[in-house]
């Protein structure tokens, strides 16, 4: 990648939700990340770790309590209404459940056309052409343009959601669990479609998934999130082949393998994450960690560079090897 200035830069984002009972859900705790033009970052971690909350702040659908989100160097929080409206054109979202995000009363073509009307892009004839072009791009047939969401399959509905997200020619797409609600058999098709469109349209992508098993093909880099923090970040192949954080190693161990003979000898992930209301002292992963030491119970490990381009938040990073031992 030649252009290294970030398209998107989130810095020290914090988002806490009051529960109404005087307690606080620590959804996002000091997260920084950046995405370069054309780059795909996968954000992975178990349900409830704060991925969607982070995605919503990046989309300016929710405001951080602390920290900033900059799009092409401009702080979203400092934008006026008009500027924010036009910035939203460059960042679009794809959701997990297309049926919930697509208006059931509208036909496929009306759904894709709406953002073009909203942003007054092109003449009415150009809008019509662009809608048909986009539907074809995502693999829907011309006769499906008049169909309503409930007349399409789950995979086709997600294709429609993608066409709608592409309508305004965004620079960045935040895809929040875009294949999690789909049949396993069609997940790869939708991921391949996203890869092709990203390359062709030079899009950046934040690909959010609770399943680390689906991101290897699509992402350049992976950020692993645990209880509101990024605990490991690096290039996809490096993180997957040689995780430095025991949580990443545990997540990888939990991915089902096609052949049982490929069993790896890492510590499996046990139990559930603690509540984000009462965070453990020290390292939040400590209660589930197979290699925790005393230090981990009272000191939060910072997300620190271990080698260039690689960050890990573990007191024992670099000291132990979490690499596969039985894998050839
Ligand atoms: N609007 C909200 N009000 C209160 N709690 C919320 C709200 N949104 C998310 N949370 C809580 O914040 C935590 C992180 O949620 P979320 O970002 O949806 O995680 P993920 O997408 O990783 O599953 C969860 O404990 C969730 O219940
Ligand atoms: Mg989510």
């Amino acid at each position: 990648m030649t252009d290294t200035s970030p398209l998107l830069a989130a810095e020290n984002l914090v988002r806490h939700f009051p529960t109404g009972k005087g307690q606080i859900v620590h959804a996002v705790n000091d997260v920084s990340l950046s995405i370069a033009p054309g780059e795909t970052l996968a954000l992975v971690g178990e349900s409830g770790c704060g991925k969607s909350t982070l995605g919503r702040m990046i989309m300016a659908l929710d405001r951080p309590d602390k920290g900033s989100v900059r799009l092409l160097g401009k702080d979203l929080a400092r934008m006026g209404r008009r500027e924010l409206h036009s910035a939203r054109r460059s960042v679009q979202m794809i959701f997990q459940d297309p049926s919930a995000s697509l208006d059931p009363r509208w036909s496929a073509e009306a759904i894709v056309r709406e953002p073009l009307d909203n942003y007054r892009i092109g003449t009415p004839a150009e809008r019509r052409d662009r809608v048909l072009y986009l539907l074809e791009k995502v693999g829907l047939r011309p006769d499906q343009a008049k169909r309503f969401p409930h007349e399409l399959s789950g995979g086709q509905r997600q294709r429609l959601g993608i066409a709608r997200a592409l309508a305004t020619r965004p620079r960045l797409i935040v895809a929040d669990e875009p294949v999690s609600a789909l049949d396993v058999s069609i997940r790869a098709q939708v991921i391949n479609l996203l890869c092709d469109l990203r390359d062709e349209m030079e899009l950046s992508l934040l690909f959010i998934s609770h399943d680390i098993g689906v991101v290897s093909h699509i992402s350049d880099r992976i950020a692993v999130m645990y209880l509101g923090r990024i605990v490991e970040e690096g290039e996809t192949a490096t993180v997957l082949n040689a995780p430095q954080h025991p949580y990443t190693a545990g997540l990888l161990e939990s991915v089902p393998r096609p052949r049982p003979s490929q069993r790896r000898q890492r510590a499996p992930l046990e139990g559930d994450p603690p509540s984000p209301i009462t965070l453990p002292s020290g390292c939040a992963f400590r209660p589930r960690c197979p290699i925790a030491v005393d230090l981990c119970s009272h000191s939060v490990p910072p997300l620190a560079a271990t080698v260039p381009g690689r960050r890990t938040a573990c007191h024992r990073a670099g000291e132990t090897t979490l690499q596969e031992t039985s894998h050839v």
Side-chain angles (χ1 to χ4, degrees), residues 17-18 25 27 45-54 176 276:
F17 298 106
V25 180
E46 288 158 292
S47 245
C49 71
K51 306 179 297 296
S52 294
T53 304
L54 186 57
D176 192 355

Side-chain angles (χ1 to χ4, degrees), residues 307-324:
V307 289
R310 191 88 195 269
R311 297 192 296 167
T312 309
C314 176
H315 289 305
R316 302 197 63 192
E319 178 193 331
T320 54
T321 172
L322 298 165
Q323 296 188 24
E324 303 161 29

Side-chain angles (χ1 to χ4, degrees), residues 43-47 51 96 177 180 208-213 251:
L43 182 66
V44 302
E46 288 158 292
S47 245
K51 306 179 297 296
Q96 170 171 356
E177 308 266 8
S180 305
I208 298 177
S209 173
H210 70 276
D211 181 358
I212 198 171
L251 276 183

Side-chain angles (χ1 to χ4, degrees), residues 171-224:
R171 301 283 309 273
L172 170 71
I173 290 206
V174 175
D176 192 355
E177 308 266 8
V179 299
S180 305
L182 301 178
D183 283 353
V184 174
S185 59
I186 52 173
R187 283 183 190 167
Q189 291 174 18
V190 172
I191 288 183
N192 288 339
L193 173 68
L194 273 174
C195 281
D196 292 346
L197 293 168
R198 171 202 58 192
D199 294 344
E200 190 181 327
M201 304 186 180
E202 295 173 6
L203 288 164
S204 299
L205 189 60
L206 177 64
F207 188 97
I208 298 177
S209 173
H210 70 276
D211 181 358
I212 198 171
V214 304
V215 303
S216 63
H217 180 51
I218 197 166
S219 63
D220 299 306
R221 279 190 302 132
I222 296 185
V224 181

Side-chain angles (χ1 to χ4, degrees), residues 10-49:
E11 265 166 40
N12 306 108
L13 290 180
V14 173
R15 187 71 174 102
H16 292 169
F17 298 106
T19 60
K21 294 181 200 155
Q23 293 172 314
I24 288 174
V25 180
H26 302 83
V28 173
N29 298 306
D30 196 10
V31 166
S32 300
L33 57 82
S34 70
I35 304 179
E39 184 181 46
T40 297
L41 175 69
L43 182 66
V44 302
E46 288 158 292
S47 245
C49 71

Side-chain angles (χ1 to χ4, degrees), residues 21-318:
K21 294 181 200 155
Q23 293 172 314
I24 288 174
V25 180
H26 302 83
V28 173
N29 298 306
D30 196 10
V31 166
S32 300
L33 57 82
S34 70
I35 304 179
E39 184 181 46
T40 297
L41 175 69
L43 182 66
V44 302
E46 288 158 292
S47 245
C49 71
K51 306 179 297 296
S52 294
T53 304
L54 186 57
R56 288 174 57 80
M57 290 191 283
I58 286 170
M59 294 292 306
L61 294 172
D62 189 15
R63 271 182 183 257
D65 297 324
K66 287 190 193 140
S68 66
V69 178
R70 277 179 293 136
L71 188 62
L72 289 166
K74 283 203 146 185
D75 191 338
L76 292 179
R78 289 169 196 270
M79 290 183 186
R81 267 188 54 195
R82 278 187 148 198
E83 212 178 352
L84 196 58
H85 182 71
S86 92
R88 283 215 169 101
R89 202 182 136 166
S90 335
V91 193
Q92 293 290 316
M93 197 152 185
I94 301 170
F95 299 90
Q96 170 171 356
D97 181 2
S99 350
S101 59
L102 304 173
D103 194 321
R105 299 161 303 170
W106 288 18
S107 66
E109 62 183 358
I111 285 169
V112 179
R113 191 187 165 101
E114 193 268 343
L116 298 173
D117 291 338
N118 183 18
Y119 283 98
R120 299 199 180 94
I121 297 170
T123 63
E126 284 165 348
R127 287 177 202 169
R128 202 167 42 243
D129 287 350
R130 179 142 177 87
V131 168
L132 295 176
Y133 167 83
L134 286 164
L135 290 175
E136 189 200 324
K137 265 277 162 246
V138 299
L140 292 172
R141 296 190 310 270
D143 65 287
Q144 290 172 322
K146 303 273 182 224
R147 303 254 176 102
F148 291 89
H150 73 270
E151 297 174 313
L152 299 170
S153 70
Q156 289 165 346
R157 274 198 294 269
Q158 195 54 292
R159 288 171 189 272
L160 179 59
I162 294 170
R164 179 184 155 87
L166 293 173
T168 59
R169 299 182 200 276
R171 301 283 309 273
L172 170 71
I173 290 206
V174 175
D176 192 355
E177 308 266 8
V179 299
S180 305
L182 301 178
D183 283 353
V184 174
S185 59
I186 52 173
R187 283 183 190 167
Q189 291 174 18
V190 172
I191 288 183
N192 288 339
L193 173 68
L194 273 174
C195 281
D196 292 346
L197 293 168
R198 171 202 58 192
D199 294 344
E200 190 181 327
M201 304 186 180
E202 295 173 6
L203 288 164
S204 299
L205 189 60
L206 177 64
F207 188 97
I208 298 177
S209 173
H210 70 276
D211 181 358
I212 198 171
V214 304
V215 303
S216 63
H217 180 51
I218 197 166
S219 63
D220 299 306
R221 279 190 302 132
I222 296 185
V224 181
M225 208 168 162
Y226 189 75
L227 277 179
R229 286 180 192 276
I230 291 177
V231 296
E232 174 155 20
E233 189 190 337
E235 281 186 11
T236 299
T238 340
V239 171
L240 295 183
N241 293 329
Q244 289 183 329
H245 198 288
Y247 178 59
T248 314
L251 276 183
L252 286 166
E253 183 61 27
S254 322
V255 175
R257 248 164 266 298
R259 279 176 292 151
S261 63
Q262 286 183 317
R263 276 197 68 78
R264 296 170 180 180
Q265 297 193 342
R266 294 180 186 131
L269 207 50
E270 277 174 14
D272 295 314
S275 157
I277 294 174
T278 328
L279 294 177
S281 64
C283 172
F285 186 58
R286 189 233 330 146
R288 296 168 89 188
C289 182
I291 57 166
V293 291
D294 270 358
L295 174 66
C296 309
S297 61
H298 51 81
S299 157
V300 179
L303 184 60
T306 42
V307 289
R310 191 88 195 269
R311 297 192 296 167
T312 309
C314 176
H315 289 305
R316 302 197 63 192

